[in-house]
Amino acid sequence: MDPRIFGLDAQTLFDTCITLIAMLILFILLSYLLFNPARKLIEKRKEMIKDQLDEAAEAKESALAMKEEYDNRLAKVDEESQEMMAEARKKAKERETEIISEADDEAHRIITRAEKEAALEKDKVKDEIKQEIVQVATQMAGRFVENSMDEKTQAALVDETLKEMGDATWQS
């Protein structure tokens, strides 16, 4: 028996070196043929994932910006509708005031016209009464002259004429 533990001799060392060199060559060859394409594939995959994440972040930012713009537009629409409602109320109030003013003016004109017509009618009635009085006086004078009457007969004649004309004529 040999006092060595592994039994290393020159042939074993030579075989081991050849095996190690062969393994190194195989490792370099496999690295070149398999590992580099796999690394390139992994790098491409990483780049694609990074690009997709970047695109997703940009899309999210764009969506947030669009949402903010949409919210701003909604706020503006609400403000515009409030302004339009306020303007419509203001115009309606102005129109109401204008209509009331026109109605007041028209009422004043109607009242003024009615007062003028009443005054004209009153003057007309006064003129008619004066004409009736003149006619009555003329008739009485004609009767007085015709009859040359005494005072008692004249008083009766005046009473009779007044009764013919009616009490309502003298009272109004």
Side-chain angles (χ1 to χ4, degrees):
M1 259 220 114
D2 216 5
R4 295 179 279 172
I5 297 179
F6 292 112
L8 294 174
D9 59 357
Q11 184 64 37
T12 307
L13 283 175
F14 180 73
D15 288 340
T16 305
C17 285
I18 296 271
T19 304
L20 285 175
I21 292 171
M23 282 180 58
L24 183 63
I25 291 172
L26 278 175
F27 179 76
I28 292 172
L29 184 66
L30 288 177
S31 173
Y32 181 75
L33 293 175
L34 295 177
F35 293 137
N36 284 341
R39 283 185 192 134
K40 287 179 183 177
L41 182 67
I42 290 172
E43 285 297 319
K44 285 181 184 178
R45 179 87 174 149
K46 282 182 181 179
E47 287 295 320
M48 185 179 75
I49 291 172
K50 183 183 178 215
D51 289 344
Q52 287 178 348
L53 288 175
D54 290 343
E55 287 176 12
E58 288 176 13
K60 183 178 180 181
E61 288 177 13
S62 175
L64 289 175
M66 290 174 80
K67 182 183 181 285
E68 185 177 330
E69 182 181 344
Y70 176 74
D71 290 341
N72 288 339
R73 284 185 180 176
L74 279 179
K76 287 180 183 177
V77 166
D78 287 341
E79 291 173 6
E80 287 176 6
S81 67
Q82 292 297 330
E83 289 175 9
M84 290 172 76
M85 291 294 289
E87 186 67 26
R89 285 187 195 110
K90 182 180 174 184
K91 286 182 179 179
K93 194 70 167 173
E94 289 173 359
R95 182 66 182 141
E96 175 188 13
T97 304
E98 184 180 316
I99 290 172
I100 290 173
S101 175
E102 288 174 2
D104 286 344
D105 292 344
E106 183 66 23
H108 182 67
R109 283 192 297 268
I110 290 171
I111 290 171
T112 304
R113 189 179 324 127
E115 287 174 350
K116 286 180 182 178
E117 288 177 5
L120 289 173
E121 191 64 31
K122 188 176 178 183
D123 290 341
K124 183 178 174 184
V125 169
K126 283 182 182 179
D127 288 341
E128 288 176 2
I129 290 174
K130 286 180 184 177
Q131 288 177 0
E132 283 186 34
I133 291 174
V134 169
Q135 287 177 355
V136 169
T138 306
Q139 287 176 356
M140 286 177 58
R143 287 185 185 172
F144 285 136
V145 171
E146 282 180 13
N147 292 329
S148 297
M149 305 178 208
D150 60 359
E151 215 170 281
K152 203 178 203 185
T153 311
Q154 286 178 1
L157 202 61
V158 168
D159 286 340
E160 183 183 326
T161 306
L162 286 177
K163 283 181 186 177
E164 285 178 10
M165 289 179 60
D167 292 336
T169 304
W170 296 104
Q171 291 177 0
S172 57

